[in-house]
Short mmCIF file of all heavy atoms in Angstrom, two decimals:
data_model
loop_
_atom_site.label_atom_id
_atom_site.label_comp_id
_atom_site.label_asym_id
_atom_site.label_seq_id
_atom_site.Cartn_x
_atom_site.Cartn_y
_atom_site.Cartn_z
N MET A 10 0.81 -1.24 -0.02
CA MET A 10 0.01 0.03 -0.07
C MET A 10 0.87 1.27 -0.09
O MET A 10 1.86 1.27 0.80
CB MET A 10 -0.92 -0.04 1.25
CG MET A 10 -1.81 1.07 1.37
SD MET A 10 -3.09 1.25 2.62
CE MET A 10 -2.81 -0.19 3.66
N GLU A 14 -2.50 5.88 0.11
CA GLU A 14 -3.69 4.91 0.08
C GLU A 14 -4.02 4.58 1.48
O GLU A 14 -3.27 4.36 2.37
CB GLU A 14 -3.26 3.64 -0.54
CG GLU A 14 -3.07 3.95 -2.12
CD GLU A 14 -2.56 2.53 -2.78
OE1 GLU A 14 -2.74 1.53 -2.14
OE2 GLU A 14 -2.28 2.70 -3.92
N ARG A 15 -5.37 4.54 1.79
CA ARG A 15 -5.89 4.20 3.15
C ARG A 15 -7.05 3.24 2.93
O ARG A 15 -7.76 3.26 1.99
CB ARG A 15 -6.50 5.46 3.79
CG ARG A 15 -5.42 6.53 4.07
CD ARG A 15 -5.95 7.60 4.83
NE ARG A 15 -4.92 8.58 5.00
CZ ARG A 15 -4.88 9.50 5.88
NH1 ARG A 15 -5.84 9.69 6.73
NH2 ARG A 15 -3.88 10.42 5.94
N THR A 16 -7.12 2.31 3.93
CA THR A 16 -8.19 1.46 3.93
C THR A 16 -9.44 2.12 4.19
O THR A 16 -9.48 3.22 4.82
CB THR A 16 -7.97 0.29 4.94
OG1 THR A 16 -7.95 0.84 6.25
CG2 THR A 16 -6.58 -0.36 4.71
N GLU A 17 -10.63 1.50 3.98
CA GLU A 17 -11.92 2.04 4.21
C GLU A 17 -12.06 2.34 5.70
O GLU A 17 -12.59 3.36 6.19
CB GLU A 17 -13.00 1.06 3.78
CG GLU A 17 -14.30 1.72 3.91
CD GLU A 17 -15.44 0.80 3.41
OE1 GLU A 17 -15.21 0.09 2.40
OE2 GLU A 17 -16.55 0.81 3.96
N SER A 18 -11.63 1.44 6.56
CA SER A 18 -11.77 1.68 8.09
C SER A 18 -10.93 2.80 8.47
O SER A 18 -11.23 3.52 9.49
CB SER A 18 -11.34 0.39 8.81
OG SER A 18 -9.90 0.16 8.63
N GLU A 19 -9.91 3.26 7.80
CA GLU A 19 -9.08 4.41 8.23
C GLU A 19 -9.69 5.73 7.79
O GLU A 19 -9.38 6.65 8.47
CB GLU A 19 -7.60 4.28 7.57
CG GLU A 19 -6.81 3.20 8.21
CD GLU A 19 -5.45 3.04 7.40
OE1 GLU A 19 -5.39 3.24 6.20
OE2 GLU A 19 -4.52 2.63 8.08
N THR A 20 -10.49 5.71 6.79
CA THR A 20 -11.02 6.89 6.25
C THR A 20 -12.63 7.04 6.70
O THR A 20 -13.11 8.14 6.56
CB THR A 20 -10.91 7.01 4.74
OG1 THR A 20 -11.60 5.90 4.12
CG2 THR A 20 -9.62 7.06 4.35
N ALA A 21 -13.10 5.96 7.14
CA ALA A 21 -14.61 5.96 7.53
C ALA A 21 -14.80 6.93 8.75
O ALA A 21 -13.96 6.91 9.79
CB ALA A 21 -15.03 4.59 7.84
N ARG A 22 -15.86 7.66 8.72
CA ARG A 22 -16.24 8.52 9.87
C ARG A 22 -16.71 7.56 10.99
O ARG A 22 -17.59 6.73 10.83
CB ARG A 22 -17.27 9.53 9.38
CG ARG A 22 -17.74 10.44 10.41
CD ARG A 22 -18.87 11.36 9.77
NE ARG A 22 -19.47 12.09 10.84
CZ ARG A 22 -19.45 13.30 10.91
NH1 ARG A 22 -18.78 14.12 10.02
NH2 ARG A 22 -20.08 13.97 11.97
#
Side-chain angles (χ1 to χ4, degrees):
M10 180 175 3
E14 292 179 9
R15 295 184 184 199
T16 65
E17 185 177 327
S18 64
E19 290 174 327
T20 59
R22 181 180 168 118

